[in-house]
Amino acid sequence: MFDDLTDLYQQVILDHSRSPRNFHPLHPVDRQAEGTNPLCGDQITLHLQMDGDRIKDVGFQGSGCAISKASASIMTEVLKGRTPAEVRRLFDRVHEMVTTGRQDGEDLGKLAVFTGVHKFPARVKCAMLPWHAAVAALEGNTKPVTTE
Amino acid sequence: MNAPVKNPRAPVEAGTWSAVRPDFPTLDQQVNGHPLVYFDSAATSQKPLPVLQALDHYYRCDNANVHRGIHELSNRATHAFEGARRRAAEFLRAGRPEEIVFTRGTTESINLVANTWGAANLKPGDRILLTEMEHHSNLVPWQLIAQRTGATLSFIPVTGDDGLLDLSRFDELLDNHVRLFACTHVSNTLGTVNPVAGLFARARRKGIVTLLDAAQSAGHLPLDVQELGCDFLACSGHKMCGPTGIGLLYGRQELLEAMPPWQGGGEMISSVDYHESRWNTPPHKFEAGTPDIAGAVGLHAAMDYLDGLGRDRIFAHDQELAAYAFERLKSLSGVRLFGPNAGRSGVVSFLLDDVHAHDLVTVADQYGVALRGGHHCNQPLMRKLGVASTARASFYFYNTRTEVDRLIEVLSEIRRFFSA
């Protein structure tokens, strides 16, 4: 059983949750979104700077559990240089991975540390919260998005 | 065929509460390779065998619709359903069974009052007085009816982490605009037991209608609506050893009679024409459609079970376990505790260092310890306390000190895990 736990809380995840990367607001902000998980009260504000159709810089703020914080931190590193279409495709791939444990197609790189989430269905929303915010920001959705 | 179980449980002596454990099959299992420690009874309690047997017996032997049939089974079902109502009236010391309305639970009971009494009586400028520690179910229905009627909400403040009501300005808050005062008896997050009888007496002297949210108290301590002085009381069967889907609303007879109906349908009418209808009398006026008959039968068995044990003894056990847990948690370093130091019910909310409540609860579950982590349907209170969520251990009479010791051990493991 503790294999499941250490799969969920890999050292990389614990490290990112303790010292999240890009954990600051951006000025100016081209796109932003707020995401909340109504079940636990977790909240994230995501800021994006764009360079044409590509994401130039990403910053986030908020409070959350180790999984949502690490997911946001690693996501901010992965999103730089991506187009909205690529982000939506990544969203689907990450969702597939955290719900089924499967990673089909191209290597998800450092995002693969979240594979262990699929054994903890109650925590899927924590991992997906920042991704919901990212898609909402790119779609220009100004209403807060929720994981529900 | 199982016979219904009568007088299910004799009282147990203090210190021998583990004698009730064989009555609860759910408690006897391994979770993730460890014996289950169920500390989430504030969310829902486990169900004892007499309740399961009563449900089984009803469906095997007596199942029929109520109040309509002439046949034997319908008579039996009606007798069982109305018997549960009489039992509930006795359980809450209501003056008469007609003051008991069956609902789906506390939430529906409060929504019923908001949508009937509230819609008929509230007008622009009126105020509904609540407290800052209300569960969303005793807050959002009032927000909705306030929006519809032009009434506003005001709140008795909570002092802080110690989780008491700040009553220093209570008389000012009870101003001439307040029409209704709704208050929780026991906080589901803080474990505070509010001094409701005194507050209700002061409110009623000013002609204010009072509602008690008894979701966390009905199965834990003796309740007497006369002594409490409430006009309405709402509670849920599933938090007091009964089935899910059944709950109670107590309402004072004059108020129930004056209130318009809520949902329309069968049962709640006395005569129907194509263009208008006449309403049945309370409580049937508020029970449209086929009710949860089996739920009422199960709740009857639950009330018998609880009173067999003695609710005063149950509460003493809750309090003793909570005080023990509070002391043991306090002895750990880096623990932030919420709620009063003394006199709390069997609910203890806490945070551990930098470990988020969700992470804590996930790891505890791997050790077989079932806790709740989150905002506990108390989002405004969480914001006031400056936290996103807490972890909560909630106890009932089937829990033991050994289980509390196990929780403390597991918390030490969790701390080790996250600081590794």
Side-chain angles (χ1 to χ4, degrees):
Chain A
M1 61 160 212
F2 294 114
D3 290 349
D4 288 351
L5 259 194
T6 43
D7 278 354
L8 178 66
Y9 294 106
Q10 296 195 23
Q11 275 309 318
V12 180
I13 290 177
L14 292 176
D15 169 54
H16 275 265
S17 73
R18 285 185 199 122
S19 355
R21 323 297 195 262
N22 303 303
F23 190 59
H24 49 71
L26 297 182
H27 303 288
V29 184
D30 295 321
R31 305 278 178 86
Q32 69 170 358
E34 192 188 333
T36 60
N37 182 342
L39 288 179
C40 57
D42 285 358
Q43 184 269 336
I44 175 178
T45 305
L46 189 72
H47 286 173
L48 301 178
Q49 279 176 355
M50 304 298 290
D51 182 7
D53 194 32
R54 288 193 182 274
I55 295 169
K56 188 171 80 184
D57 201 4
V58 193
F60 81 101
Q61 293 162 278
S63 67
C65 62
I67 304 299
S68 72
K69 228 168 174 177
S71 176
S73 172
I74 294 174
M75 182 189 80
T76 57
E77 295 187 323
V78 170
L79 289 190
K80 288 178 192 174
R82 305 268 185 172
T83 64
E86 289 169 349
V87 174
R88 264 186 289 276
R89 204 157 54 86
L90 269 178
F91 178 102
D92 292 338
R93 301 271 320 281
V94 172
H95 189 261
E96 166 88 4
M97 177 182 70
V98 298
T99 48
T100 67
R102 281 198 303 274
Q103 293 179 59
D104 301 328
E106 69 186 289
D107 184 16
L108 277 170
K110 57 174 76 167
L111 292 170
V113 296
F114 294 102
T115 316
V117 173
H118 84 275
K119 290 181 190 148
F120 297 82
R123 309 305 300 276
V124 167
K125 286 172 180 168
C126 311
M128 291 309 294
L129 176 63
W131 288 94
H132 281 285
V135 167
L138 290 167
E139 285 174 353
N141 185 355
T142 51
K143 279 195 207 152
V145 289
T146 77
T147 50
E148 293 307 289
Chain B
M1 190 193 308
N2 296 324
V5 178
K6 300 287 182 203
N7 190 19
R9 244 296 155 206
V12 295
E13 294 307 313
T16 62
W17 281 88
S18 54
V20 303
R21 296 206 38 124
D23 295 349
F24 292 84
T26 13
L27 295 176
D28 181 24
Q29 61 178 300
Q30 304 267 313
V31 167
N32 293 318
H34 295 274
L36 168 66
V37 173
Y38 186 77
F39 280 168
D40 200 17
S41 292
T44 196
S45 69
Q46 295 303 337
K47 322 302 176 199
L49 285 171
V51 170
L52 305 183
Q53 286 160 357
L55 289 170
D56 188 71
H57 177 83
Y58 170 73
Y59 277 128
R60 278 176 195 272
C61 306
D62 300 333
N63 177 57
N65 212 328
V66 289
H67 299 141
R68 334 211 190 306
I70 310 291
H71 58 77
E72 169 64 16
L73 291 194
S74 177
N75 286 340
R76 274 192 235 156
T78 303
H79 184 73
F81 186 65
E82 293 304 323
R85 194 191 307 278
R86 283 192 298 278
R87 182 69 180 88
E90 183 190 297
F91 192 78
L92 300 174
R93 303 275 186 272
R96 46 207 298 189
E98 292 78 14
E99 293 182 317
I100 301 294
V101 180
F102 283 115
T103 65
R104 284 191 297 135
T106 307
T107 299
E108 190 173 77
S109 296
I110 296 172
N111 275 280
L112 192 160
V113 176
N115 282 282
T116 55
W117 183 90
N121 290 285
L122 294 170
K123 53 187 190 309
D126 285 349
R127 233 188 310 273
I128 301 161
L129 178 62
L130 306 170
T131 80
E132 284 184 344
M133 65 170 79
E134 297 311 312
H135 187 281
H136 294 168
S137 61
N138 197 25
L139 169 59
V140 181
W142 304 117
Q143 291 175 344
L144 289 169
I145 199 65
Q147 282 163 13
R148 269 171 58 195
T149 59
T152 58
L153 307 181
S154 55
F155 298 90
I156 301 174
V158 168
T159 46
D161 283 8
D162 60 352
L164 299 169
L165 290 179
D166 174 2
L167 297 169
S168 57
R169 291 180 52 243
F170 184 60
D171 284 320
E172 278 169 64
L173 284 167
L174 282 185
D175 64 25
N176 293 331
H177 300 286
V178 175
R179 300 293 311 281
L180 178 119
F181 171 38
C183 179
T184 189
H185 196 182
V186 171
S187 162
N188 69 308
T189 299
L190 302 162
T192 317
V193 184
N194 288 317
V196 286
L199 302 183
F200 285 162
R202 282 152 80 180
R204 287 179 73 184
R205 272 201 290 278
K206 303 192 75 167
I208 295 165
V209 170
T210 57
L211 180 144
L212 183 67
D213 173 353
Q216 296 295 341
S217 61
H220 293 262
L221 61 158
L223 294 184
D224 180 333
V225 290
Q226 319 294 336
E227 275 176 22
L228 289 163
C230 53
D231 294 306
F232 295 106
L233 179 148
C235 65
S236 300
H238 73 95
K239 292 189 201 288
M240 45 187 275
C241 292
T244 53
I246 188 81
L248 302 174
L249 170 67
Y250 157 81
R252 215 153 43 74
Q253 182 80 11
E254 308 89 276
L255 290 168
L256 290 183
E257 274 169 6
M259 277 152 53
W262 184 23
Q263 295 172 330
E267 191 65 51
M268 52 78 68
I269 39 78
S270 62
S271 71
V272 177
D273 206 337
Y274 278 116
H275 292 282
E276 59 178 14
S277 300
R278 293 163 66 84
W279 316 133
N280 205 334
T281 52
H284 306 293
K285 181 165 74 172
F286 303 105
E287 293 179 354
T290 297
D292 183 358
I293 307 160
V297 168
L299 180 57
H300 188 157
M303 292 186 284
D304 284 350
Y305 184 88
L306 293 173
D307 281 345
L309 287 170
R311 275 177 282 165
D312 46 349
R313 287 161 178 255
I314 290 173
F315 192 55
H317 179 71
D318 288 348
Q319 288 196 300
E320 196 249 298
L321 265 194
Y324 180 61
F326 196 80
E327 283 313 309
R328 294 236 36 202
L329 284 163
K330 219 160 63 176
S331 70
L332 299 176
S333 62
V335 170
R336 179 172 169 191
L337 283 155
F338 301 90
N341 284 312
R344 66 165 57 230
S345 73
V347 173
V348 180
S349 274
F350 60 96
L351 281 173
L352 189 60
D353 290 327
D354 298 328
V355 183
H356 189 282
H358 259 199
D359 298 316
L360 189 158
V361 170
T362 296
V363 182
D365 180 55
Q366 292 298 305
Y367 288 92
V369 179
L371 302 172
R372 174 85 180 264
H375 53 59
H376 316 296
C377 294
N378 271 142
Q379 282 184 344
L381 177 65
M382 293 284 124
R383 273 193 284 277
K384 164 143 188 158
L385 298 174
V387 296
S389 56
T390 69
R392 180 186 73 187
S394 54
F395 313 119
Y396 212 1
F397 55 84
Y398 41 67
N399 292 122
T400 64
R401 283 167 83 100
T402 315
E403 290 181 310
V404 174
D405 293 338
R406 177 71 181 145
L407 169 68
I408 301 298
E409 260 171 48
V410 166
L411 290 178
S412 306
E413 289 295 322
I414 291 171
R415 189 206 302 278
R416 249 196 300 285
F417 183 84
F418 283 102
S419 60

PDB file of all heavy atoms in Angstrom, chain B residues 287-299:
ATOM      1  N   GLU B 287     -45.963  16.832   2.787  1.00  0.00           N
ATOM      2  CA  GLU B 287     -45.383  15.536   2.385  1.00  0.00           C
ATOM      3  C   GLU B 287     -45.998  15.078   1.070  1.00  0.00           C
ATOM      4  O   GLU B 287     -46.722  14.085   1.014  1.00  0.00           O
ATOM      5  CB  GLU B 287     -45.593  14.498   3.496  1.00  0.00           C
ATOM      6  CG  GLU B 287     -44.808  14.818   4.763  1.00  0.00           C
ATOM      7  CD  GLU B 287     -45.041  13.800   5.886  1.00  0.00           C
ATOM      8  OE1 GLU B 287     -45.888  12.903   5.740  1.00  0.00           O
ATOM      9  OE2 GLU B 287     -44.341  13.927   6.921  1.00  0.00           O
ATOM     10  N   ALA B 288     -45.698  15.826   0.002  1.00  0.00           N
ATOM     11  CA  ALA B 288     -46.245  15.475  -1.303  1.00  0.00           C
ATOM     12  C   ALA B 288     -45.589  14.201  -1.829  1.00  0.00           C
ATOM     13  O   ALA B 288     -44.382  14.021  -1.697  1.00  0.00           O
ATOM     14  CB  ALA B 288     -46.018  16.620  -2.287  1.00  0.00           C
ATOM     15  N   GLY B 289     -46.385  13.351  -2.419  1.00  0.00           N
ATOM     16  CA  GLY B 289     -45.834  12.153  -3.057  1.00  0.00           C
ATOM     17  C   GLY B 289     -45.608  11.029  -2.058  1.00  0.00           C
ATOM     18  O   GLY B 289     -45.745  11.209  -0.851  1.00  0.00           O
ATOM     19  N   THR B 290     -45.234   9.864  -2.583  1.00  0.00           N
ATOM     20  CA  THR B 290     -44.961   8.721  -1.714  1.00  0.00           C
ATOM     21  C   THR B 290     -43.719   9.011  -0.887  1.00  0.00           C
ATOM     22  O   THR B 290     -42.671   9.331  -1.432  1.00  0.00           O
ATOM     23  CB  THR B 290     -44.740   7.453  -2.549  1.00  0.00           C
ATOM     24  OG1 THR B 290     -45.949   7.170  -3.256  1.00  0.00           O
ATOM     25  CG2 THR B 290     -44.379   6.274  -1.667  1.00  0.00           C
ATOM     26  N   PRO B 291     -43.836   8.950   0.428  1.00  0.00           N
ATOM     27  CA  PRO B 291     -42.690   9.270   1.278  1.00  0.00           C
ATOM     28  C   PRO B 291     -41.694   8.121   1.360  1.00  0.00           C
ATOM     29  O   PRO B 291     -41.940   7.041   0.815  1.00  0.00           O
ATOM     30  CB  PRO B 291     -43.334   9.526   2.641  1.00  0.00           C
ATOM     31  CG  PRO B 291     -44.559   8.664   2.638  1.00  0.00           C
ATOM     32  CD  PRO B 291     -45.032   8.597   1.217  1.00  0.00           C
ATOM     33  N   ASP B 292     -40.594   8.358   2.054  1.00  0.00           N
ATOM     34  CA  ASP B 292     -39.582   7.318   2.273  1.00  0.00           C
ATOM     35  C   ASP B 292     -40.046   6.474   3.466  1.00  0.00           C
ATOM     36  O   ASP B 292     -39.607   6.668   4.594  1.00  0.00           O
ATOM     37  CB  ASP B 292     -38.229   7.986   2.559  1.00  0.00           C
ATOM     38  CG  ASP B 292     -37.113   6.964   2.734  1.00  0.00           C
ATOM     39  OD1 ASP B 292     -37.384   5.750   2.664  1.00  0.00           O
ATOM     40  OD2 ASP B 292     -35.965   7.395   2.948  1.00  0.00           O
ATOM     41  N   ILE B 293     -40.950   5.550   3.171  1.00  0.00           N
ATOM     42  CA  ILE B 293     -41.583   4.758   4.237  1.00  0.00           C
ATOM     43  C   ILE B 293     -40.534   3.892   4.937  1.00  0.00           C
ATOM     44  O   ILE B 293     -40.439   3.867   6.170  1.00  0.00           O
ATOM     45  CB  ILE B 293     -42.702   3.869   3.661  1.00  0.00           C
ATOM     46  CG1 ILE B 293     -43.682   4.714   2.836  1.00  0.00           C
ATOM     47  CG2 ILE B 293     -43.437   3.127   4.785  1.00  0.00           C
ATOM     48  CD1 ILE B 293     -44.521   3.930   1.854  1.00  0.00           C
ATOM     49  N   ALA B 294     -39.734   3.198   4.140  1.00  0.00           N
ATOM     50  CA  ALA B 294     -38.697   2.338   4.729  1.00  0.00           C
ATOM     51  C   ALA B 294     -37.716   3.175   5.546  1.00  0.00           C
ATOM     52  O   ALA B 294     -37.268   2.744   6.614  1.00  0.00           O
ATOM     53  CB  ALA B 294     -37.962   1.581   3.625  1.00  0.00           C
ATOM     54  N   GLY B 295     -37.412   4.362   5.047  1.00  0.00           N
ATOM     55  CA  GLY B 295     -36.504   5.247   5.777  1.00  0.00           C
ATOM     56  C   GLY B 295     -37.065   5.594   7.154  1.00  0.00           C
ATOM     57  O   GLY B 295     -36.341   5.606   8.159  1.00  0.00           O
ATOM     58  N   ALA B 296     -38.371   5.867   7.193  1.00  0.00           N
ATOM     59  CA  ALA B 296     -39.009   6.206   8.473  1.00  0.00           C
ATOM     60  C   ALA B 296     -38.964   5.002   9.411  1.00  0.00           C
ATOM     61  O   ALA B 296     -38.706   5.144  10.614  1.00  0.00           O
ATOM     62  CB  ALA B 296     -40.450   6.657   8.237  1.00  0.00           C
ATOM     63  N   VAL B 297     -39.187   3.810   8.860  1.00  0.00           N
ATOM     64  CA  VAL B 297     -39.140   2.586   9.665  1.00  0.00           C
ATOM     65  C   VAL B 297     -37.724   2.377  10.216  1.00  0.00           C
ATOM     66  O   VAL B 297     -37.543   2.056  11.401  1.00  0.00           O
ATOM     67  CB  VAL B 297     -39.586   1.375   8.802  1.00  0.00           C
ATOM     68  CG1 VAL B 297     -39.265   0.059   9.490  1.00  0.00           C
ATOM     69  CG2 VAL B 297     -41.075   1.477   8.485  1.00  0.00           C
ATOM     70  N   GLY B 298     -36.733   2.597   9.362  1.00  0.00           N
ATOM     71  CA  GLY B 298     -35.344   2.464   9.804  1.00  0.00           C
ATOM     72  C   GLY B 298     -34.988   3.498  10.854  1.00  0.00           C
ATOM     73  O   GLY B 298     -34.294   3.208  11.842  1.00  0.00           O
ATOM     74  N   LEU B 299     -35.497   4.713  10.666  1.00  0.00           N
ATOM     75  CA  LEU B 299     -35.219   5.778  11.631  1.00  0.00           C
ATOM     76  C   LEU B 299     -35.855   5.461  12.986  1.00  0.00           C
ATOM     77  O   LEU B 299     -35.278   5.733  14.047  1.00  0.00           O
ATOM     78  CB  LEU B 299     -35.728   7.122  11.081  1.00  0.00           C
ATOM     79  CG  LEU B 299     -35.524   8.342  11.976  1.00  0.00           C
ATOM     80  CD1 LEU B 299     -34.055   8.530  12.341  1.00  0.00           C
ATOM     81  CD2 LEU B 299     -36.055   9.600  11.284  1.00  0.00           C
TER      82      LEU B 299
END
